[in-house]
Amino acid sequence: MMRRSVSDGGSSGGWGEEEGKGWEVRPGGLLVQKRGEDGGGDAAAAAPPPLAPPELRVRVLYGSAKYEVAVSSVATFGELKKLLMEKTGLQPADQRLTYKGKERGNTEYLDICGVKNRSKIVLVEDPTSLERRYIEMRRNARIQNVHRAISDISLEVDKLADQVTTIEKSISKGNKVAEVQITTLIELLMIQAVKLDSVPSEGETSLQKNLQAKRVQKCVETLDMLKISNARLKSVVVTTKWETFDPPTTAQWEFFD
């Protein structure tokens, strides 16, 4: 949309002359036909086709990167920021645009500020945005470390839980197992419980941590019950020696000719 200023008294030519031919300039500089005196419709004459504002190709410097952006000459710096978001990934609120050594506001127009084709505009990230992004990066790194620690503990608990299941099946079949196997498993599970306690967590990671803690507790409780059941079973002595059978002795050997 074109914007032009109109003097109070008009002139003998230009916009003032057009107004005398049935045209008027609305607020904001828009040229339209005058309404009929009775308000019943537009004037009979056809309006001239609107002129499209020229397009500019401005060069934007962002650190060591350079971008060339096509933008309307009557666009605002705020609209330019939206176009730059697609190229830089920076939100408009995190962008600071400087032209001719002065930071430009979102509502300032490019043409009014003197921006022309191939003009250079400098883009920098807002300092508060940098700080927020740094804090967010540290937070994400901390969460990833927590996920990794809980995942490692989960794998160890999986292995120990499989051993608990094996012992449980053996005892359920009446086979006594060495008590040291049960006590050792309990100790290993408690080590994983201590590791879980030392892992800082919040939100989703806290839920994962609690889930693994419950698994460890369940395994320990199962082993405590198996220890009681195992104590009631009799030990089965298994020998690797084969029993030998001596042939019957005879007082007299038979001789065969």
Side-chain angles (χ1 to χ4, degrees), residues 164-228:
V164 172
T165 301
T166 300
I167 291 178
E168 187 176 18
K169 289 180 179 179
S170 180
I171 293 177
S172 65
K173 293 179 181 179
N175 300 323
K176 188 178 181 68
V177 300
E179 185 174 346
V180 67
Q181 296 183 27
I182 300 177
T183 56
T184 300
L185 269 180
I186 293 176
E187 291 175 359
L188 294 175
L189 286 164
M190 295 308 298
I191 290 175
Q192 301 306 315
V194 172
K195 288 182 179 180
L196 281 171
D197 288 338
S198 64
V199 175
S201 61
E202 57 179 310
E204 181 185 352
T205 56
S206 181
L207 295 176
Q208 295 177 354
K209 176 180 174 179
N210 292 336
L211 176 62
Q212 297 305 319
K214 289 180 180 179
R215 290 184 64 203
V216 171
Q217 181 181 359
K218 183 178 179 181
C219 287
V220 171
E221 291 175 352
T222 300
L223 288 171
D224 286 337
M225 297 300 297
L226 290 175
K227 186 189 294 185
I228 297 173

Side-chain angles (χ1 to χ4, degrees), residues 111-214:
D111 59 347
I112 292 179
C113 292
V115 177
K116 298 180 176 58
N117 202 41
R118 308 291 291 176
S119 289
K120 292 182 180 179
I121 298 175
V122 178
L123 166 64
V124 296
E125 186 173 358
D126 185 85
T128 57
S129 170
L130 281 171
E131 183 178 358
R132 287 196 306 269
R133 193 147 57 90
Y134 175 71
I135 293 174
E136 185 67 18
M137 288 174 60
R138 290 189 59 184
R139 180 177 177 273
N140 290 338
R142 185 171 63 253
I143 291 176
Q144 289 179 1
N145 290 336
V146 170
H147 276 297
R148 191 178 299 110
I150 294 177
S151 178
D152 292 342
I153 293 173
S154 176
L155 291 175
E156 291 299 321
V157 174
D158 287 342
K159 297 175 183 178
L160 296 174
D162 289 341
Q163 296 182 44
V164 172
T165 301
T166 300
I167 291 178
E168 187 176 18
K169 289 180 179 179
S170 180
I171 293 177
S172 65
K173 293 179 181 179
N175 300 323
K176 188 178 181 68
V177 300
E179 185 174 346
V180 67
Q181 296 183 27
I182 300 177
T183 56
T184 300
L185 269 180
I186 293 176
E187 291 175 359
L188 294 175
L189 286 164
M190 295 308 298
I191 290 175
Q192 301 306 315
V194 172
K195 288 182 179 180
L196 281 171
D197 288 338
S198 64
V199 175
S201 61
E202 57 179 310
E204 181 185 352
T205 56
S206 181
L207 295 176
Q208 295 177 354
K209 176 180 174 179
N210 292 336
L211 176 62
Q212 297 305 319
K214 289 180 180 179

Side-chain angles (χ1 to χ4, degrees), residues 63-78:
S64 60
K66 297 180 182 180
Y67 302 99
E68 188 170 288
V69 183
V71 61
S72 171
S73 61
V74 296
T76 63
F77 279 88

Side-chain angles (χ1 to χ4, degrees), residues 36-66:
E37 293 182 358
D38 58 354
D42 294 333
L51 299 175
E55 185 179 77
L56 304 177
R57 299 192 72 84
V58 296
R59 291 178 290 179
V60 180
L61 307 180
Y62 176 41
S64 60
K66 297 180 182 180

